Amino acid sequence: FQVTKYKYFFGSDFRSIPYLTTINKYEESVTVVTTEPVRSGRGKKLAVNPVEKFCKSNNIEFTYFSQDAVYNNMDIGISASFAKIFSPNFLKSNNNIFNIHLSLLPELRGPSPVENAILNNNTSTGFTVFHIDEDIDTGKIIYQKDVSISEDDYASNIYERLSNSFNENYKEIDFLSTGKEQPRNSSKTSKFSKSDFNISKDTLFKAKTKIRAFNIMGPSFTTHKNKI
């Protein structure tokens, strides 16, 4: 296990924080790259994201993301639940960036792997650390670790189990590895819309499955007399 001197972390929501916590614990120096505050709510007040709040609370250096940025002192970059997609030019200028994806790639590429693992009634999933390239979740794999899924697990349980596994196995990840190409057989996930959370017309089994899958992203709901 090697501690790299200049490590950057790219993240922007609450799911990023457990991975940042682990990296900050093991690394001598971490700079966080996150997204700028956005105006939201009725008052359109500027709201900072959970990662920026975490950095301020823990005295971690952070900066805002720009596709034009060049991090000359970045040995390694690690992305976890980051809201931005890196442009080809950004990746050419900053080519040592890895992503933590919450499935065993090439299975369940895309934005919602945990939820789909539950919806598919999978009995296991895992996380993959891979070198980011210009396509979505297709880069060379440097590390994978599986975790189990029980029939009563909610998405929140799986997110916690995956981040705990990352913390337990972080020292095994070799970010200097050349990695291995992904197999060609793959499956993809997509973003969900609010209508996907509606369980009104589902069987009991499917409704229970969706309640478990969407307890973070949703929640699931039903309607009665045109009311949710």
Side-chain angles (χ1 to χ4, degrees):
F1 174 67
Q2 289 183 310
V3 176
T4 53
K5 190 174 181 182
Y6 297 107
K7 182 160 288 189
Y8 280 68
F9 179 85
F10 298 80
S12 55
D13 72 25
F14 71 95
R15 290 170 293 189
S16 309
I17 292 173
Y19 300 93
L20 172 57
T21 301
T22 293
I23 294 164
N24 188 53
K25 178 173 67 174
Y26 286 113
E27 299 296 335
E28 292 179 355
S29 176
V30 178
T31 299
V32 171
V33 182
T34 192
T35 53
E36 294 187 31
V38 295
R39 296 192 181 277
S40 62
R42 292 184 178 180
K44 296 298 180 181
K45 294 181 179 179
L46 277 176
V48 301
N49 66 50
V51 171
E52 180 174 339
K53 290 180 181 178
F54 182 83
C55 290
K56 289 178 177 178
S57 298
N58 292 275
N59 197 30
I60 300 173
E61 181 182 351
F62 72 92
T63 185
Y64 295 130
F65 176 73
S66 168
Q67 294 284 9
D68 298 322
V70 179
Y71 302 106
N72 291 316
N73 65 341
M74 181 174 68
D75 293 333
I76 296 294
I78 302 176
S79 173
S81 200
F82 189 47
K84 301 292 185 179
I85 295 176
F86 302 121
S87 69
N89 285 337
F90 181 87
L91 291 174
K92 288 178 183 177
S93 301
N94 306 277
N95 63 0
N96 287 322
I97 304 179
F98 298 85
N99 188 54
I100 305 165
H101 184 76
L102 303 185
S103 77
L104 296 175
L105 292 173
E107 294 181 4
L108 302 178
R109 289 174 176 162
S112 52
V114 170
E115 290 73 19
N116 275 277
I118 294 175
L119 293 173
N120 295 344
N121 299 300
N122 293 354
T123 57
S124 65
T125 186
F127 71 88
T128 302
V129 182
F130 68 95
H131 196 286
I132 295 177
D133 60 17
E134 294 184 12
D135 292 321
I136 303 297
D137 301 332
T138 59
K140 289 184 178 181
I141 294 170
I142 64 166
Y143 189 83
Q144 287 186 309
K145 192 72 175 181
D146 64 301
V147 302
S148 62
I149 302 176
S150 68
E151 60 184 16
D152 57 355
D153 273 328
Y154 287 73
S156 55
N157 303 131
I158 306 304
Y159 278 113
E160 183 177 8
R161 195 169 299 147
L162 288 164
S163 61
N164 287 343
S165 180
F166 179 80
N167 181 61
E168 292 167 3
N169 295 285
Y170 181 75
K171 289 185 176 181
E172 295 182 7
I173 303 172
D174 181 7
F175 290 97
L176 302 179
S177 166
T178 56
K180 61 179 181 179
E181 297 284 353
Q182 293 190 31
R184 291 186 177 182
N185 56 317
S186 65
S187 58
K188 295 182 180 180
T189 68
S190 57
K191 290 183 178 180
F192 293 103
S193 64
K194 187 173 181 179
S195 61
D196 293 316
F197 307 146
N198 191 339
I199 62 173
S200 301
K201 297 181 180 180
D202 292 329
T203 64
L204 181 59
F205 177 79
K206 187 173 182 180
K208 287 182 175 180
T209 303
K210 288 170 72 170
I211 290 169
R212 291 167 46 224
F214 297 135
N215 80 311
I216 287 181
M217 187 178 290
S220 296
F221 66 91
T222 187
T223 57
H224 179 65
K225 295 183 178 179
N226 296 320
K227 292 184 178 181
I228 293 177

